[in-house]
């Protein structure tokens, strides 16, 4: 019986350690600032859950995540696109920002411009916000 308990505890600890090791892979981005999860079934019922640290752990506690976003102070757009295998589909210039709608190797998507869009990059001054599939709730 004692051997069975030790074996069970060893397997349980190994499973927890494996899950913790995989946590960073569960996030879309490696942002420097706040990390936001969009929770709901669509943009219509979406609520935002934002954390300033521990995003990977917070992700484990959420259900119905339909998107993610984060902000960058120092951002190289071309390098970022290469990291996510992204391609710009549409660009929108506003008075205070430039928005890029892209396809990329990211898990969430919406249909915009007749195409599956799953990356939205908004450049506003020195700040950049990225989201998958798009930035919900404005920026």
């Amino acid at each position: 019986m004692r051997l069975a308990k030790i074996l069970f505890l060893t397997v349980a600890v190994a499973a927890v350690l494996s899950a913790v090791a995989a946590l960073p892979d569960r996030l879309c981005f490696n942002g420097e600032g706040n990390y936001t999860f969009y929770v709901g079934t669509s943009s219509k019922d979406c609520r935002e859950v934002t954390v300033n640290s521990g995003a990977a752990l917070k992700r484990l506690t959420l259900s119905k995540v339909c998107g993610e976003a984060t902000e960058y102070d120092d951002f190289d757009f071309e390098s970022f696109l290469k990291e996510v295998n992204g391609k710009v589909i549409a660009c929108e210039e506003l008075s205070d920002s430039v928005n890029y709608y892209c396809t990329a190797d990211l898990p969430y998507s919406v249909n915009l411009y007749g195409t599956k869009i799953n990356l939205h990059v908004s450049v506003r001054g020195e700040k950049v916000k990225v989201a998958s599939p798009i930035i919900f709730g404005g920026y």
Side-chain angles (χ1 to χ4, degrees):
M1 186 64 147
R2 180 179 163 106
L3 182 59
K5 286 181 182 179
I6 291 172
L7 182 59
F8 174 78
L9 286 174
T10 302
V11 170
V13 168
V16 168
L17 290 176
S18 295
V20 169
L23 285 176
D25 294 337
R26 296 212 52 206
L27 298 177
C28 289
F29 311 111
N30 295 318
E32 301 159 351
N34 293 338
Y35 203 95
T36 300
F37 297 98
Y38 301 118
V39 180
T41 57
S42 68
S43 62
K44 292 177 184 175
D45 74 348
C46 182
R47 70 180 172 91
E48 295 182 23
V49 177
T50 301
V51 296
N52 57 14
S53 66
L57 287 174
K58 185 63 176 177
R59 173 67 177 90
L60 290 176
T61 68
L62 299 172
S63 61
K64 295 185 181 177
V65 174
C66 61
E68 300 176 27
T70 193
E71 297 177 22
Y72 294 90
D73 291 326
D74 184 26
F75 188 76
D76 181 340
F77 186 59
E78 294 302 320
S79 294
F80 180 79
L81 280 181
K82 284 181 184 176
E83 282 179 36
V84 297
N85 194 28
K87 177 183 173 189
V88 175
I89 300 301
C91 178
E92 173 184 65
E93 292 188 37
L94 304 174
S95 62
D96 64 343
S97 63
V98 178
N99 291 281
Y100 300 93
Y101 298 93
C102 312
T103 60
D105 290 339
L106 294 168
Y108 312 102
S109 66
V110 294
N111 192 353
L112 291 175
Y113 305 106
T115 303
K116 182 174 116 175
I117 300 295
N118 53 9
L119 174 63
H120 179 185
V121 178
S122 181
V123 179
R124 179 179 288 169
E126 299 296 315
K127 297 273 189 183
V128 174
K129 185 169 187 174
V130 298
S132 179
I134 60 171
I135 299 169
F136 294 121
Y139 174 58

